[in-house]
Amino acid sequence: MSANSLDTLRFSSSQSDFCLLYCKQNMRDPNQRLVHLKLAFFAFIVATVGLALMVLGKYLSTQSMSGFISFLPISEVGGTLLVAGLVGIGLDLWIDGDRGVVIEKLVEKVMLRALAKLAPTLRDSVVQAFADNIDHLSVVATDEFLDRLARNALTLRLGDRTFAEDIYEDVRDMAIAATERWYDTKISMNLSPLPLEPQNEAPPAFVLTARYEYQVRPATINRRFTAVSNIREYRAIMEEPGDTSVWYINPASGFDGSTREAFELVQFSVNGEDRPIRRNLRASGQTYTANISKDVVDSLELVTISYTYRTILRQHGHMLHVDVEQPSKGLDVELEYGDCGIGEMRLIPFIASSKKVRNFEMPSTVPEKTVGIGFDGWVMPKSGVIAVWVLSTENSVPGLHFQRTKI
């Protein structure tokens, strides 16, 4: 369908009443109108002549005249002509009015029949125009209209209204709440043992160094990174959409979320240019703030943001959850864990999609120990990857091993 389909439809629908009225008022062609005018003029002449003859007859009756002219019925002929002319004019007007009603009904029937035949074509044109061009849909679109349209379309496609509505509303709410959209997100992580002094009674831990890199059109001038040891505060920040990333430092690890040893943002850059980092300390945790700059936000252009942070993990926690904070198109995660005393490591993707997740694991014949996943589709917030491990000292314990299943 061409881009002019909806314009043609709009003309037809908006001008239909005008066309019908025009046809009603202009059904007679010029020749018919000329004949009607001639007849009316002739009746007027006859009536005028009749009136003149009546006046003449009245005048002659007052004169003493003899001979042939005195026998002529001038007044009677004049009266007849006058009556004939007036009756002719009235009859013509009555017939013309009645004929107009008949023509009007005929035109209305013809137009309604034609529109009835065109209705399926017009309907298909509307649907096709909306499907082909978003600009056509935006003319009449409101949020409520688009929601109903999407629900109905998904219901027809899936055959289940409740299922379709729940899926649509869930995805819509997550997408609308997101402040940014990330592209080509790459997460590189490295685990290493945390050296502890002999007198330190903290449980064994790993140092996690993670580097994020992604492309985005920034929505905020500042980017914040917060570490807390209060689980309620952590959950409250997690539920708030915005520019803050949050980490929970479990007090059982022997570390407090307000210390650099527990969490530290060590680098932040925009398009490869490092930005200064400001640290704010409070009793319940700490916050790092990096400035992206107002010019970058106002440009509305894609930029590459990267940052690196360092935190600690309990070795006997056996799990690391990597969240995706914003809708991300494409995700690559890589984890190195050499010299950590880990016997087995798995990356488990929690991504709801029909697209396949690529899995990577370094062969056991090489000294490096690396696992990774790759995904090319959209990853929604609250999705991500979980890393789980079994320590080498635990491999001999019955039940502490992985069942290899296809992901």
Side-chain angles (χ1 to χ4, degrees):
M1 180 179 177
S2 67
N4 294 326
S5 298
L6 188 60
D7 296 333
T8 302
L9 174 60
R10 288 176 183 158
F11 174 81
S12 299
S13 60
S14 63
Q15 299 297 328
S16 60
D17 292 339
F18 172 76
C19 292
L20 182 61
L21 180 61
Y22 181 83
C23 290
K24 291 177 181 179
Q25 294 180 348
N26 297 276
M27 281 300 295
R28 290 178 298 175
D29 59 28
N31 291 332
Q32 289 178 327
R33 290 198 297 271
L34 181 60
V35 170
H36 174 71
L37 182 61
K38 287 180 177 180
L39 291 175
F41 182 72
F42 177 75
F44 173 75
I45 294 298
V46 170
T48 302
V49 171
L51 180 61
L53 290 178
M54 289 180 65
V55 172
L56 178 61
K58 186 67 174 178
Y59 172 75
L60 293 178
S61 64
T62 61
Q63 304 295 322
S64 56
M65 299 184 64
S66 59
F68 176 75
I69 195 171
S70 61
F71 292 98
L72 293 177
I74 297 176
S75 297
E76 289 77 1
V77 172
T80 302
L81 292 178
L82 177 61
V83 172
L86 294 177
V87 171
I89 292 174
L91 187 61
D92 183 74
L93 291 174
W94 178 80
I95 293 176
D96 183 70
D98 185 65
R99 181 174 55 197
V101 173
V102 174
I103 292 176
E104 178 180 337
K105 292 182 178 180
L106 178 62
V107 170
E108 186 173 351
K109 289 182 179 180
V110 172
M111 292 297 293
L112 290 176
R113 189 173 299 176
L115 289 175
K117 291 182 179 180
L118 288 174
T121 303
L122 299 179
R123 178 201 60 206
D124 295 343
S125 298
V126 171
V127 174
Q128 191 66 35
F130 284 168
D132 290 346
N133 196 324
I134 192 173
D135 294 333
H136 291 161
L137 188 58
S138 64
V139 175
V140 297
T142 63
D143 292 343
E144 294 76 11
F145 173 80
L146 292 177
D147 285 341
R148 291 199 305 270
L149 189 64
R151 290 192 192 99
N152 291 336
L154 201 56
T155 298
L156 290 175
R157 193 70 178 88
L158 301 179
D160 187 329
R161 174 170 289 277
T162 301
F163 181 49
E165 290 181 350
D166 290 345
I167 288 178
Y168 169 70
E169 291 175 3
D170 188 36
V171 174
R172 178 201 61 190
D173 293 343
M174 284 194 296
I176 291 177
T179 57
E180 296 177 339
R181 292 176 179 84
W182 295 358
Y183 301 90
D184 300 325
T185 302
K186 297 178 177 60
I187 304 174
S188 301
M189 298 179 292
N190 178 270
L191 279 181
S192 60
L194 174 66
L196 295 175
E197 298 179 0
Q199 66 273 18
N200 194 327
E201 298 181 359
F206 294 129
V207 175
L208 171 68
T209 304
R211 183 178 188 275
Y212 281 59
E213 181 178 295
Y214 56 91
Q215 290 185 311
V216 65
R217 292 181 177 87
T220 57
I221 298 177
N222 295 316
R223 187 81 161 81
R224 294 180 175 86
F225 304 83
T226 296
V228 297
S229 292
N230 186 302
I231 189 63
R232 291 184 178 179
E233 184 178 1
Y234 169 76
R235 290 172 177 170
I237 297 175
M238 281 287 294
E239 294 298 325
E240 296 177 359
D243 58 357
T244 302
S245 302
V246 60
W247 284 260
Y248 174 65
I249 308 300
N250 194 331
S253 65
F255 292 88
D256 187 83
S258 62
T259 64
R260 289 183 183 271
E261 291 77 13
F263 179 85
E264 183 180 12
L265 180 68
V266 298
Q267 180 268 342
F268 186 94
S269 68
V270 178
N271 286 334
E273 179 182 348
D274 286 342
R275 298 299 172 92
I277 299 172
R278 185 176 71 256
R279 177 174 180 257
N280 294 322
L281 181 63
R282 61 185 188 278
S284 59
Q286 58 180 325
T287 299
Y288 295 85
T289 303
N291 184 270
I292 297 175
S293 86
K294 186 175 185 300
D295 293 339
V296 172
V297 175
D298 292 342
S299 69
L300 300 179
E301 294 181 356
L302 281 174
V303 298
T304 300
I305 289 181
S306 61
Y307 59 86
T308 303
Y309 67 87
R310 182 174 57 244
T311 187
I312 54 98
L313 297 172
R314 289 185 303 158
Q315 291 188 12
H316 293 284
H318 298 101
M319 185 177 68
L320 166 64
H321 192 187
V322 181
D323 284 324
V324 176
E325 303 173 33
Q326 304 288 346
S328 178
K329 175 66 171 177
L331 175 67
D332 288 284
V333 180
E334 187 176 279
L335 173 61
E336 297 180 8
Y337 59 99
D339 299 326
C340 288
I342 294 178
E344 292 187 75
M345 173 72 79
R346 294 287 183 274
L347 284 184
I348 304 174
F350 281 84
I351 301 173
S353 176
S354 60
K355 295 184 178 180
K356 186 178 180 180
V357 177
R358 302 185 304 274
N359 295 277
F360 168 77
E361 183 177 359
M362 192 71 73
S364 59
T365 56
V366 298
E368 293 81 5
K369 293 185 177 182
T370 305
V371 291
I373 67 156
F375 182 70
D376 296 328
W378 281 99
V379 182
M380 300 302 291
K382 301 182 180 179
S383 302
V385 178
I386 291 181
V388 292
W389 62 82
V390 173
L391 300 175
S392 299
T393 58
E394 298 171 329
N395 274 340
S396 59
V397 179
L400 288 178
H401 60 86
F402 293 114
Q403 295 182 352
R404 297 180 178 272
T405 60
K406 184 178 180 181
I407 299 177

